[in-house]
Amino acid sequence: MSEQSFQTLGEFIIDKQEDFLYSTGELSRLLSAIRLASKVVNRQVNKAGIADIIGKVGNQNIQGEEQQKLDVLANEIFIEALSQREVVCGIASEENDDFIEINTHSNAHLSKYVVLIDPLDGSSNIDVNVSVGTIFSIYRRVSEPGTPVVLEDFLQKGVNQIAAGYVVYGSSTMIVYTTGNGVNGFTLDPSLGTYYLSHPNMQFSRTGNIYSINEGNYVHFPQGVKDYIKFCQKEEEDRPYTSRYIGSLVSDFHRNMIKGGIYIYPSTSQSPTGKLRLLYECNPMAFLAEQAGGKCTDGFQRIMEIEPTELHQRVPFFCGSYDMVEKAEEFMKNAHPQS
Ligand code: AHG
Ligand code: MN
Ligand code: MN
């Protein structure tokens, strides 16, 4: 981009508020809180190597995963920003066993929104200075405002999402989000601390030539996925495809959306539901993917139509350029049941 864009994220959020009928500005305030928290996390990520925040905390989260110091810090920063600004009535996070009710402030109970968040995605990449991210998903509560939030407020199908997005702390820091009217990306100018619209109306190309999957697990994959990988590697007009896997969903998704590609985290013989979490990883990415003209399924069914039963539920995940995901689904359907 040769010309500097002068539309800031703050202005964009306010401009778009008018798209929502009877808008009270609550969603705008919520997005602004996320914008602020992302800058604070960005500052920490950037100085991780010198601030003694690299490495493990020494305990595991509910999913049996080792918590990194930055996982915990990013979680605290987002929860703090969202609760202090009184913009949500509840938060569910990868790093907390249960959802959190926000009731420290007088108005918080009256907020109609809940947020689900993966505060730091790809955290195993922190120690080696590789891009990480934050993923968020916003719903309108189903229970009555003014009463305590309940589990059902969080266990909603992805199709009910009001907004979703991610922050990628990469070679530059970006926020990419949707409120159901397309996907827009904003790049942080670190010297000013301001996000500017840099990627308006982001779109997945219909097909692409990148496949992203942890192939080290190949022997544990379902037959359909093995067959699809062989298809990707076959010598044909536009193949073999290129293999790219960063190991942080946000970064892999971001690259694939810009260049065209597919990301797969399938079921494996050891974890039949895969690794990624439906509510704060897969659903928000699915909303973004569909808004950008892509496709997102568990290999058979649309991610956003899955009825959640648990906060930390996992699902197999196929996401990216529409035709590529459709092709992978075809292999899943045709394959023999997993042996
Ligand atoms: P998180 O750091 O939030 O636990 O997420 C890590 C996820 C995801 O970002 C990434 O794509 C995937 O785990 C990588 O898993 P493998 O190391 O099994 O490939
Ligand atoms: Mn994650
Ligand atoms: Mn995480």
Side-chain angles (χ1 to χ4, degrees):
M1 198 179 64
S2 55
E3 280 172 39
Q4 159 90 46
S5 150
F6 283 106
Q7 180 158 37
T8 69
L9 174 55
E11 289 162 351
F12 188 89
I13 290 171
I14 290 165
D15 285 356
K16 296 295 165 193
Q17 192 173 308
E18 287 155 21
D19 291 356
F20 297 95
L21 209 57
Y22 313 121
S23 163
T24 59
E26 202 181 327
L27 181 63
S28 303
R29 286 195 294 280
L30 172 43
L31 292 168
S32 297
I34 290 175
R35 174 185 57 160
L36 174 63
S38 76
K39 291 181 199 173
V40 181
V41 172
N42 179 59
R43 192 179 59 193
Q44 299 299 336
V45 168
N46 272 285
K47 62 178 185 190
I50 50 171
D52 191 31
I53 43 179
I54 277 182
K56 299 180 189 2
V57 182
N59 49 24
Q60 294 185 340
N61 64 16
I62 192 168
Q63 298 147 76
E65 290 164 352
E66 203 72 57
Q67 277 184 315
Q68 306 284 329
K69 288 182 192 167
L70 262 178
D71 279 327
V72 175
L73 196 57
N75 193 38
E76 284 169 4
I77 291 168
F78 273 98
I79 291 172
E80 236 352 80
L82 292 168
S83 46
Q84 276 199 18
R85 288 194 158 197
E86 309 189 0
V87 286
V88 287
C89 54
I91 303 171
S93 164
E94 178 189 345
E95 304 305 333
N96 296 97
D97 303 359
D98 294 319
F99 64 84
I100 303 167
E101 187 193 337
I102 308 295
N103 57 7
T104 47
H105 301 276
S106 50
N107 292 329
H109 261 66
L110 298 173
S111 169
K112 51 181 181 294
Y113 294 113
V114 295
V115 168
L116 295 104
I117 191 161
D118 177 354
L120 208 75
D121 173 64
S123 48
S124 65
N125 280 323
I126 300 161
D127 293 5
V128 291
N129 207 348
V130 170
S131 302
V132 290
T134 295
I135 310 173
F136 61 90
S137 170
I138 300 171
Y139 291 86
R140 196 168 282 133
R141 65 185 298 180
V142 290
S143 58
E144 205 47 50
T147 63
V149 276
V150 290
L151 186 59
E152 286 64 42
D153 293 323
F154 299 92
L155 297 187
Q156 298 193 52
K157 286 185 189 179
V159 286
N160 291 350
Q161 285 172 105
I162 301 295
Y166 59 79
V167 185
V168 55
Y169 311 97
S171 51
S172 60
T173 295
M174 284 187 70
I175 281 195
V176 175
Y177 81 101
T178 182
T179 53
N181 286 309
V183 177
N184 292 286
F186 301 81
T187 301
L188 181 66
D189 179 334
S191 62
L192 296 172
T194 305
Y195 284 103
Y196 289 97
L197 179 62
S198 52
H199 295 62
N201 193 21
M202 297 177 84
Q203 289 283 323
F204 271 97
S205 51
R206 189 79 193 181
T207 189
N209 68 352
I210 297 173
Y211 72 105
S212 314
I213 186 167
N214 185 344
E215 256 178 280
N217 294 328
Y218 186 86
V219 289
H220 301 299
F221 287 159
Q223 191 57 47
V225 172
K226 289 180 176 169
D227 293 344
Y228 180 66
I229 290 174
K230 287 297 152 216
F231 166 86
C232 293
Q233 296 172 341
K234 196 159 179 235
E235 179 126 46
E236 286 288 338
E237 208 179 319
D238 60 339
R239 284 173 281 147
Y241 295 154
T242 293
S243 163
R244 288 283 182 272
Y245 189 74
I246 295 168
S248 97
L249 170 64
V250 167
S251 320
D252 280 307
F253 178 98
H254 187 70
R255 183 208 48 244
N256 288 352
M257 180 159 63
I258 289 172
K259 294 193 161 181
I262 183 172
Y263 176 97
I264 304 178
Y265 209 110
S267 61
T268 64
S269 43
Q270 293 131 317
S271 31
T273 52
K275 177 180 185 187
L276 299 179
R277 277 63 49 112
L278 173 62
L279 292 177
Y280 43 81
E281 292 181 314
C282 302
N283 269 335
M285 290 315 207
F287 191 19
L288 289 160
E290 290 192 9
Q291 283 293 317
K295 192 169 197 230
C296 204
T297 74
D298 66 356
F300 303 95
Q301 187 194 356
R302 191 176 167 214
I303 289 286
M304 289 205 287
E305 276 169 13
I306 296 172
E307 187 79 65
T309 53
E310 283 169 49
L311 221 44
H312 299 286
Q313 174 175 353
R314 298 173 194 266
V315 278
F317 189 63
F318 295 64
C319 184
S321 290
Y322 198 96
D323 288 352
M324 297 178 88
V325 174
E326 202 156 67
K327 191 77 192 169
E329 286 181 298
E330 209 178 291
F331 279 100
M332 292 300 286
K333 208 163 133 199
N334 294 338
H336 300 299
Q338 197 178 341
S339 50

